[in-house]
Amino acid sequence: MSIDIIGPEDIEAMIEKEVKAYDTSTKARADTLAAFLEARRKPVLVTVNFSGGIQQKCYSVTRPNGDYRVIYLPLAGYFSLCVESAFGPLDIGVHGPAIDCFGSV
């Protein structure tokens, strides 16, 4: 998929695939999935800050919980855990599947 054509519907489909395949065999994993689904939102474009003063338009896929939110990085093709800052979401280098990023905190 070209980054030029990745949109909210494509991101939603990626997350749905992840949700269906997610292993909930332990209580902790089942709780992580439930919390992720509660925080999940339709993808919304936001400006994400990266080290070195770089900014990119990305998609927020969870609501901020006060400290963190999960973002889809279209140029990289994966999800990221971002910390909330006075300047907006800041990429902290935790990348991978959306649910795993969410569950890392």
Side-chain angles (χ1 to χ4, degrees), residues 1-96:
M1 234 184 294
S2 166
I3 60 174
D4 295 333
I5 61 169
I6 289 179
E9 303 83 20
D10 303 306
I11 298 165
E12 284 283 303
M14 285 187 265
I15 293 172
E16 280 303 314
K17 184 176 178 182
E18 213 180 296
V19 167
K20 288 178 182 166
Y22 194 73
D23 172 16
T24 56
S25 61
T26 67
K27 181 173 176 1
R29 290 184 62 83
D31 289 349
T32 296
L33 179 59
F36 173 79
L37 293 172
E38 187 175 320
R40 185 177 170 187
R41 70 184 306 171
K42 296 251 185 238
V44 175
L45 266 178
V46 295
T47 300
V48 175
N49 299 289
F50 296 85
S51 60
I54 297 168
Q55 294 183 320
Q56 290 180 13
K57 290 289 187 190
C58 302
Y59 288 92
S60 176
V61 299
T62 64
R63 292 181 298 283
N65 70 357
D67 294 322
Y68 301 97
R69 74 169 109 171
V70 178
I71 304 285
Y72 180 73
L73 309 175
L75 292 177
Y78 49 71
F79 294 92
S80 172
L81 184 68
C82 289
V83 67
E84 295 299 319
S85 76
F87 305 104
L90 173 66
D91 179 84
I92 58 173
V94 176
H95 303 133

